[in-house]
Amino acid sequence: MLRRILIANRGEIAARIVAACHRLGIETVLAASEADLDSRPARLSDRTICLGPPPAAASYLNVAAVVAAAAATGCDAIHPGYGFLAENPALARACAAAGLVFIGPAAAQLELAGDKLAAREQAAAAGLPVLPGGEAATAAQAQSLAADIGWPILIKAAGGGGGRGLRPVHSPAELAAAAGQAAAEAHAAFGDPRIYLERFLPTARHVEVQLLGDGERVIHLSDRDCSIQRRYQKVIEEAPAPLLADGLRTAIHDAAVAFGSRLGYRGLGTVEFLVADGVFYFLEMNARIQVEHPVTEQVCRLDLVAEQIAVAEGRPLSLAQQEVTVTGHAIECRICAEDPQGRPAPGTVTRAVFPAGPGIRVDTWIQAGSAVSPFYDSLLAKLIVTGADRADAVGRLRRELGDCEIAGVTTNLPLLAALAGDHGFAAGGMDTGFLARLTERTPAVAHG
Amino acid sequence: MNLSNDDVQDILSLLDSLPYSELTLETSRFTLQLRRSAEGGWTQETQGLSQRVLAGPVAPATPPAPPSATPPAPPSGAPPSRGGPAAAAAPVPRAASDAGPDAQDIVAPLLGTFYRAPQPGAPPFVDIGGSVEADTVVAIIETMKLMNPVYAGTTGTVTEICLDDGQFAEQGAVLMRVSARTG
């Protein structure tokens, strides 16, 4: 039984974890950078400890400082949230060495999921369909592999994931230069120059399955559709994924569980797939809680952070697969500090008004006075609406977005309102190119 | 104990049966303002008021290992927002290079933290005297968690590196100077 948890994160997920801990009667210590010492999560947490200066490398990404903070404040566990150190095996190992519980999967599982190329090979070995592709170590290898795969192709970074380090290539003439640049960028961003190629499906849907495992048993908590993306970053997510044939949905769930079971997975994790023309392909696994977890919580009526803490305590899963039921439909949109071109827009929030009422949930870290720092990501709040069915949820989303008012920083609220009001979105089943086409049609709202 | 979403729902279900269109709840820990919106729903505005309880500073077991030297910290309690102390101290766009007609500046494409190497302890992308092509990655600018590669954009030899590793750069700040390759 955990008594005191160090939360090594910031922003809305830090506030979310504080709330879950308090509901469970667990004390919290927030480990924050100097920039976040007066943030709302710091005010909500029982205590706050300073990790270091604002740059993430000197604070939120500093494994030694995080572990020392937990030890100094008498914590028995560390919750890494998402991003930062959440999928860093070094933190999981350092926790084990310091006698702390790491609220997440085993270090070896993090390593495997983090190496996107190794994960792809494991998925294929587990019988999951993968897109035609493979590693491209040399330019010659890339050319011959691409010829086998067929065009267009997508260059991916083995150390990437989460939509980062992707580069589409449409013709053989562009390949050598693109592969060289992708390797240099991958080396720069991830410290790993390995790249691989996959067939690029520009009009596929992004469907993912939420997994929960206790190290012995793995179950799924249904699926989400995250096809509304801007430059490979998710903007709107929903659960369940609409317009999937029952047989296909079951096959995707089974594939995700097969992959998690092969790893003996413990904790929360998400297996991501592309779906096109009634066929699905494994993309990657994210070995952490995800930004979009609330839509699953809303339709499954579960607290995923509480489940995550329970399995980290060494308890068996609290529910069996047949006890997982999906009721209604939930949609989340990410309200971000960005300009109409999608560039980050730091500043200070002077006013933050959100809708309230049945079927409405807002996960946020901002209030009047909150500083939106250029050192961190641009997510301000997540608006989650839940309806009896998808049409009901879409209607609510349209209404409730109109009740959001954020002053002081530029936000993507106009883009979200345009999306919610679009009849293509209302129809459901959009592909990952949907948002780019929408912004081309309505340049006044947002430039792609 | 903090105000939860369920608490707000409970208050709203009570308010729904009352004729009021606005409620302001103020405690020592938070304020909550609920207002009826034009559409008939409700809006919420909350402000956490609790002072954070700071635990003592922690000396890390080993020194932090950011990409090379830790950048100088802005004053505690002063979040480095645009226009804040950190931004004021950050390099601002300089006049075009005076290093000669063949000199080219490499500037920060957006504001953020300037890194010379791909990761802590790794050799820098480029050093003074190093030659670059237009598509050579010479640095990273980290903004809101995104690692943005900086391309040389020109061909030549690096003659000056204008910022220290880990220093904050305004958009358009000169990062490096390159002299065109001769002969």
Side-chain angles (χ1 to χ4, degrees), chain A residues 18 22-23 29 34-35 37-38 40 42-50 53-58 61-62 64-65 68-69 72-73 82-84 164 167 181 184-185 187-192 337 344-348 351-362 366-369 371-378 399-400 403, chain B residues 1-3 5 8-9 12 16 34-35 37-39 41-67 70-82 86 110-113 115 117-119 122 125 135 137 139-140 142-147 149 151 166 168 171:
Chain A
V18 169
H22 286 175
R23 206 175 58 74
V29 177
E34 285 167 10
L37 289 180
D38 287 310
R40 181 152 146 151
R43 294 168 189 272
L44 296 174
S45 178
D46 295 303
R47 280 196 290 165
T48 298
I49 187 161
C50 182
L61 290 174
N62 184 342
T73 49
Y82 54 66
F84 297 126
R164 299 178 310 149
R167 184 181 282 261
Q181 280 190 10
E185 282 185 24
H187 189 211
F190 314 114
D192 179 352
T348 299
R351 189 150 193 254
V353 180
F354 294 105
I360 300 165
R361 168 176 167 182
V362 178
I366 60 164
Q367 60 185 31
V372 181
S373 156
F375 288 110
Y376 312 118
D377 71 37
S378 60
R399 279 195 306 278
E400 307 309 344
D403 277 344
Chain B
M1 195 57 205
N2 293 296
L3 190 72
N5 194 44
V8 174
Q9 306 282 352
L12 282 180
D16 265 331
L34 296 169
R35 288 188 201 88
S37 71
E39 307 239 14
W42 291 91
T43 65
Q44 57 176 327
E45 197 174 354
T46 59
Q47 192 80 10
L49 300 176
S50 304
Q51 289 302 306
R52 37 97 171 153
V53 180
L54 205 58
V58 173
T62 57
T70 305
S76 179
S81 60
R82 195 193 268 279
L110 68 181
L111 91 173
T113 307
Y115 290 119
Q119 57 182 322
F125 292 107
D135 62 357
V137 175
I140 302 171
E142 181 189 0
T143 300
M144 295 183 120
K145 232 177 73 178
L146 293 177
M147 297 292 183
Y151 296 101
F168 197 77
Q171 183 173 9

Side-chain angles (χ1 to χ4, degrees), chain A residues 61-149:
Chain A
L61 290 174
N62 184 342
V63 173
V66 167
V67 173
T73 49
C75 289
D76 35 32
I78 294 178
H79 196 310
Y82 54 66
F84 297 126
L85 295 174
E87 292 167 278
N88 188 327
L91 178 61
R93 285 206 194 87
C95 283
L100 295 162
V101 172
F102 174 74
I103 302 176
Q109 294 167 350
L110 288 171
E111 237 150 38
L112 192 142
D115 182 336
K116 301 304 171 186
L117 198 50
R120 183 187 140 89
E121 282 156 15
Q122 285 287 324
L128 274 68
V130 296
L131 286 158
E135 185 170 5
T138 64
Q141 202 180 344
Q143 286 293 3
S144 79
L145 185 59
D148 290 345
I149 295 170

Side-chain angles (χ1 to χ4, degrees), chain B residues 7 40 73 80 89 108 152 178:
Chain B
D7 296 331
V178 175

